[in-house]
Amino acid sequence: SNGVTLARCIKPGMDSKGHSMFRIAGLVAGDAESYSVFGPLFDKVIALRHKVEVDCVHPHDMDASKVGKTRRGGRMVPSDPVDPDEEYVVSVEIRARRNLNGRRLPPAMLRSQRREIEGKVAKSLLKIGGDYFPVRGSTSYAAKPQGMSE
């Protein structure tokens, strides 16, 4: 256990008034265990937020043949390819917001824990030939002392 309490999970919702343009959930997971420890509460909030039944299952579709297709009218249809010759990938984005097993999630992390995770992510990206771009104005990554440029 990472020691995340229900108080830590509801704090962001208590601190934020939200906005008239979009709804906020008012409840965030502090770690992966939050979903099981506080499961009935999370299930209800997620169902209300996404307007689904509590027992719904999120669809997962790993069919690579559907890449480059768009959903229209409930069915998949070809979209214009980024590279008509299908030789190059122009850009790929990977989000790893909740994929660090055994760690607190951002709402419950200490600054020191954020720095530790940032260092590991940066090191891993550089190891596979990628790069790390901290947010603009960040001073936490020595290789880019002001974070991303515009």
Side-chain angles (χ1 to χ4, degrees), residues 16-26 44-52:
S16 175
K17 293 179 184 177
H19 191 278
S20 62
M21 297 292 286
F22 56 90
R23 298 170 45 207
I24 61 169
K44 185 69 174 172
V45 170
I46 291 167
L48 288 169
R49 173 68 176 89
H50 295 286
K51 299 179 182 174
V52 296

Side-chain angles (χ1 to χ4, degrees), residues 17-78:
K17 293 179 184 177
H19 191 278
S20 62
M21 297 292 286
F22 56 90
R23 298 170 45 207
I24 61 169
L27 179 71
V28 297
D31 63 2
E33 290 179 350
S34 296
Y35 292 109
S36 57
V37 173
F38 310 115
L41 177 60
F42 271 95
D43 289 346
K44 185 69 174 172
V45 170
I46 291 167
L48 288 169
R49 173 68 176 89
H50 295 286
K51 299 179 182 174
V52 296
E53 296 297 320
V54 170
D55 59 352
C56 77
V57 176
H58 190 280
H60 293 85
D61 190 346
M62 301 300 285
D63 184 351
S65 70
K66 293 181 181 175
V67 174
K69 295 183 179 181
T70 304
R71 182 172 300 282
R72 288 196 190 116
R75 59 190 185 93
M76 299 300 289
V77 296

Side-chain angles (χ1 to χ4, degrees), residues 75-91:
R75 59 190 185 93
M76 299 300 289
V77 296
S79 60
D80 296 330
V82 174
D83 174 19
D85 297 326
E86 298 181 355
E87 291 183 34
Y88 302 98
V89 174
V90 176
S91 177

